[in-house]
Amino acid sequence: MSSNSLPSAAKTVLIGGGIVGNSLAYHLARMGREDIAILDKGPLPDPGGSTGHASNFLMPVEHSKEMTHLTRRSIEQYRDMDTFTNSGGIEVARTEARVEELKRRIQSAKAWGEPAELLTPEEVEALVPYVNTDLVKAGFYSTGAGTCDPLRAGEVMRARADEYTEGGLYVSPNTEVLDLHVEDGSIEAVETDRGTITADDVVIAAGLWSPKLAEMAGVDIPLTPAAHQMVSVGPISFFEDYEGEISFPVVRDMDTQMYERQHGNDLEVGSYQHRPILWDVEDIPSIDEAPLSPTQPPLTDDAFEQSMADALEIVPELLDDPEAGIRHEIDGLLSQTPDGAPLLGPLQDVDGLWSVPQSGSKKPRPSARRLPSG
């Protein structure tokens, strides 16, 4: 794996060194593609995109068979890389209507062969003793759920891709793409601040920066940077007797569109119920300008007020800890598409140019076409 000088040519150039670009490099290399270059404007292992701030839990059961099996396959791969922790996950219901939905999810789990149980409030409390079960009417327990370490997984994927290509993987962090060269409707080269690389195929895997890169080739990728609010509260004395990153199931408070999960001695509280907080990609600060990272601007406090109130209701024992305080609070930026699904596959107007930016709300679906393996 080389990172000393930019090659003058590569069969495949991947723009983006987050979880999507790393995963694509690994899978392409495993399928036989050689001579791959990964470029990213930021440093590795965390180049500053959403991979570095996502809460990283995987809940495998969906009403879609395709998505359930895709998530299961993802979990198997993270487990193989030793980057997965099987914590389990519980979706709690505050209303009778939600209980009926959880019963439907049980049927989907049975149909797709994924283990799951419908829990009573008492059973929820036994697994997650800090949840206020006075508010809970039932819980959907996904025993196969858990969390992953995507930054470590990216390192493993790059190392494995390098092995498959027998040293044919080039990784270039701190490299800014300046232009995409298109001739006669085909991608020809990627121009960077370190030189120009000719390429047979170029893949835009840069998350919320993808539309800006697509414009360089005269095409559109309709993504909008949108905030997912999150605060981390700690140290939580309840967690002091437990080792590791997570010892209890991830809790999804479905009626408030929120989640609470242990992260070491802290509790992460994430929310999707707030009003839409949208950004223009041109307004996202550079790595040097951002206090934390470009995709972690400060929390919009007033938008989080209802979320904090709901979190205090569901896990009061932890959030009322007199020793705890808010240690980290962000409007974590994710890339969102108009329909919430990924924009994945070849860009029709430029031959050899591909899009795999991931939507923040759904997992990526397999593409109808795939890059050649040879």
Side-chain angles (χ1 to χ4, degrees):
M1 189 187 304
S2 173
S3 59
N4 296 321
S5 62
L6 202 71
S8 60
K11 191 173 183 63
T12 308
V13 174
L14 309 178
I15 305 174
I19 190 63
V20 176
N22 292 323
S23 178
L24 188 57
Y26 162 59
H27 286 289
L28 286 174
R30 184 175 60 86
M31 293 167 62
R33 174 151 286 217
E34 301 175 348
D35 192 17
I36 301 171
I38 301 176
L39 313 180
D40 201 293
K41 184 178 180 179
L44 293 177
D46 184 0
S50 59
T51 302
H53 67 73
S55 195
N56 308 327
F57 56 83
L58 296 96
M59 305 287 280
V61 179
E62 304 268 0
H63 289 311
S64 162
K65 178 180 180 180
E66 175 190 33
M67 295 308 299
T68 299
H69 287 184
L70 180 58
T71 305
R72 168 50 52 194
R73 179 64 180 140
S74 298
I75 289 173
E76 290 170 356
Q77 290 185 53
Y78 285 127
R79 194 189 301 276
D80 177 64
M81 297 174 198
D82 196 27
T83 59
F84 178 76
T85 301
N86 184 198
S87 64
I90 300 176
E91 298 177 0
V92 297
R94 296 188 184 217
T95 64
E96 291 297 340
R98 184 65 59 182
V99 173
E100 293 304 309
E101 164 59 15
L102 296 188
K103 291 179 181 178
R104 288 184 64 237
R105 290 174 69 79
I106 288 290
Q107 296 307 311
S108 290
K110 290 180 179 179
W112 314 146
E114 185 66 32
E117 302 175 39
L118 190 66
L119 304 181
T120 65
E122 293 75 21
E123 290 171 326
V124 171
E125 185 175 20
L127 290 169
V128 196
Y130 47 80
V131 168
N132 178 11
T133 50
D134 291 341
L135 300 177
V136 174
K137 297 183 180 298
F140 173 87
Y141 182 33
S142 178
T143 57
T147 64
C148 72
D149 182 345
L151 297 180
R152 174 60 186 149
E155 293 180 319
V156 174
M157 288 172 175
R158 290 193 298 273
R160 291 186 178 182
D162 191 53
E163 291 177 2
Y164 279 120
T165 60
E166 298 182 348
L169 176 68
Y170 180 89
V171 181
S172 181
N174 305 306
T175 301
E176 183 176 1
V177 173
L178 303 177
D179 200 4
L180 299 180
H181 296 181
V182 177
E183 296 290 341
D184 299 324
S186 297
I187 194 71
E188 293 291 330
V190 179
E191 181 182 341
T192 80
D193 59 354
R194 299 179 61 195
T196 298
I197 313 174
T198 61
D200 294 341
D201 290 290
V202 174
V203 183
I204 300 175
L208 51 84
W209 288 282
S210 295
K212 190 173 182 179
L213 290 162
E215 286 180 7
M216 297 176 182
V219 296
D220 294 325
I221 293 180
L223 285 177
T224 299
H228 151 57
Q229 294 193 301
M230 191 275 287
V231 302
S232 184
V233 180
I236 304 292
S237 57
F238 182 89
F239 293 141
E240 289 179 356
D241 295 332
Y242 298 91
E243 296 183 357
E245 178 187 319
I246 186 165
S247 303
F248 297 91
V250 175
V251 175
R252 296 174 83 183
D253 188 357
M254 303 299 285
D255 291 292
T256 65
Q257 300 180 62
M258 295 182 62
Y259 66 83
E260 290 82 22
R261 60 149 292 189
Q262 176 194 3
H263 195 139
N265 282 347
D266 287 11
L267 182 75
E268 284 186 7
V269 178
S271 174
Y272 290 91
Q273 70 163 298
H274 52 81
R275 68 175 186 268
I277 303 173
L278 307 180
W279 280 62
D280 188 311
V281 69
E282 297 294 342
D283 295 332
I284 297 172
S286 68
I287 293 171
D288 294 334
E289 295 170 336
L292 295 173
S293 89
T295 58
Q296 298 185 53
L299 186 80
T300 303
D301 291 322
D302 67 301
F304 198 72
E305 288 177 358
Q306 184 59 51
S307 299
M308 182 54 80
D310 291 330
L312 283 165
E313 281 187 338
I314 201 71
V315 286
E317 179 183 345
L318 301 190
L319 296 181
D320 283 340
D321 188 328
E323 302 299 320
I326 294 179
R327 300 213 254 197
H328 186 57
E329 51 183 0
I330 61 169
D331 281 356
L333 299 184
L334 304 172
S335 53
Q336 295 287 351
T337 57
D339 63 357
L343 292 163
L344 191 152
L347 291 165
Q348 295 179 356
D349 296 330
V350 179
D351 190 36
L353 185 62
W354 302 72
S355 168
V356 290
Q358 183 177 348
S359 169
S361 61
K362 293 184 179 179
K363 304 174 188 71
R365 293 177 171 83
S367 171
R369 273 182 64 197
R370 64 187 183 188
L371 291 172
S373 59

